Amino acid sequence: MPIAREMTPRSSAIRRLLLAALLMAAEPGMAQDRAQVAQQYRTWLEQTVWPRASAKGVSRSTFEAAFDGVKLNWDLPDLVPPGSKPATPKRQRQAEFGLPGRYFSRGAIDGATSVGRDMARRHAATLAAVEKRTGVPGRIILAVWGRESGYGRVDIPHDAFEVLGTKGFMSTRAGYFTDELIAALVIAEAGHVSARSMKSSWAGALGQPQFMPSSFLGYAADGDGDGRADIWGSEADTIASIGTYLARHGWDAGRDWGFEVVVPPSVSCTLEGPDQGRPIRDWESMGIARVSGRPFPEAERGAEGFLLMPAGRNGPAFVVTPNFYVLKDYNMSDLYALFVGHVGDRIQYGMGDFAGRWGEVGGLYRSDVAEMQRALEAQGHDVGGVDGLPGFKTRRSIGRWQEASGRPATCFPEARMKDSLRP
């Protein structure tokens, strides 16, 4: 979905226990029972949400239909009930900050590829038309669609107004979700889908491309010529909407997304990042070569490329183009963008697995990574924020710390670093 990912929800029972612990840990007398919170929620809807929705042209009947029978969903993650303090969950192991290789599981890769090839045949005319109009390759659109909703086959079970209302009222990103709630009301008012039929993911993302409501309003497109943008039921509209989103975020039709490469020991992993780009021919002159043994395309050699090492020295390496970062605009995860590019190549070109192998790294608690980030910040490194996620700034900061302390640079957080990297 075109937003930054949040923690993947665990089982309902575990979430309820965590929330109960959070409420009990609040300052004495501050935590309130659920009935009181529910009443505050209704007041918030009337006093905060309704005036904003009305100002956007939402009718009272649409507003009331949206929240008819809707209650707070206490099973959602990252909730901060009134009177409580935000928790710092310890056990957060989803793929983006766990074992990177798990993101590329055999089932996920093979399933997205095989169904994607079927969809390429079924929707060849639509894909060709959208590619001609937007410049975004059909294989990339298919890979995004496959990752987001399994080509429309994944169940999207949640009531969008329950999710967005709950998270707008009491989540760690309440302002963001309140804005998305207003956008969802605008969608319902316009008649794209009825309020009671608007289903979403646990994070509020809608339809087959998993657009947040504001993204629907900005990028949903009509791909079948019926005058509507139906990302719930129309596969052609889904294809057109994904292509439109990527095109408007800057997809360069003249370039690929990236190339798997071999990075020799003489090239430091600390050179990674979208702010350290250089012409691909310069990377080539440093000894970086494609794993296939083929030269970089001549049209790419004079254009800017960026080193990407999502597991540091413990996994595959890539030289990527600005299009890779357009994919990250859809979902702010290096692994997500890499998955999409890789599956797209498999769909169209029949490519195999990455030549580089994912090492047994990761598996750390997010809080462990955050502790390392605080220690690196204290030493003057720019880690990109203390969020427990090993993004490129954290990875190369680890590498710089390793090099400065006489260690071989691996550019990825490891358990053995915990004792040496404490705030």
Side-chain angles (χ1 to χ4, degrees), residues 216-421:
F216 176 92
L217 294 175
Y219 310 109
D222 176 14
D224 55 19
D226 67 354
R228 301 176 61 236
D230 176 11
I231 63 171
W232 295 271
S234 170
E235 294 180 334
D237 289 2
T238 295
I239 290 168
S241 297
I242 295 171
T244 299
Y245 182 97
L246 294 174
R248 292 188 184 170
H249 280 77
W251 185 275
D252 184 343
R255 304 201 63 187
D256 208 324
W257 67 268
F259 309 89
E260 188 183 0
V261 298
V262 176
V263 179
S266 58
V267 177
S268 174
C269 53
T270 65
L271 295 177
E272 181 185 9
D275 54 351
Q276 298 191 102
R278 61 186 70 196
I280 289 179
R281 67 163 64 94
D282 289 358
W283 292 115
E284 200 173 24
S285 68
M286 296 166 67
I288 291 178
R290 295 177 66 183
V291 297
S292 65
R294 297 191 298 271
F296 290 98
E298 192 58 36
E300 296 277 13
R301 294 185 68 246
E304 191 172 32
F306 312 91
L307 185 62
L308 173 74
M309 302 181 74
R313 287 285 183 184
N314 304 290
F318 307 85
V319 168
V320 298
T321 76
N323 284 339
F324 178 86
Y325 296 100
V326 173
L327 295 177
K328 283 193 66 175
D329 284 333
Y330 208 101
N331 181 307
M332 289 303 295
S333 161
D334 287 334
L335 298 181
Y336 174 93
L338 189 56
F339 183 98
V340 167
H342 182 53
V343 167
D345 288 348
R346 293 172 74 102
I347 289 171
Q348 183 163 335
Y349 305 127
M351 294 179 66
D353 293 340
F354 293 136
R357 293 291 174 255
W358 299 100
E360 289 298 318
V361 294
L364 294 170
Y365 295 143
R366 186 165 169 177
S367 55
D368 291 332
V369 178
E371 188 172 87
M372 294 180 193
Q373 289 171 324
R374 281 190 289 270
L376 289 164
E377 276 196 339
Q379 296 179 28
H381 292 280
D382 177 9
V383 298
V386 178
D387 58 5
L389 299 172
F392 76 91
K393 288 187 176 182
T394 294
R395 295 195 295 267
R396 72 188 186 193
S397 291
I398 287 173
R400 290 167 179 169
W401 166 76
Q402 289 172 316
E403 289 177 347
S405 56
R407 298 173 170 88
T410 61
C411 297
F412 202 78
E414 301 168 23
R416 61 185 177 181
M417 299 175 184
K418 287 164 52 177
D419 289 338
S420 301
L421 274 176

Side-chain angles (χ1 to χ4, degrees), residues 51-52 57 80 87 91 102-103 106 123 130 134 160 282 361 366 403:
R52 288 186 58 185
V80 186
R91 296 183 178 274
R102 288 181 182 172
Y103 203 93
R106 183 82 277 146
H123 298 289
V130 172
T134 66
D282 289 358
V361 294
R366 186 165 169 177
E403 289 177 347

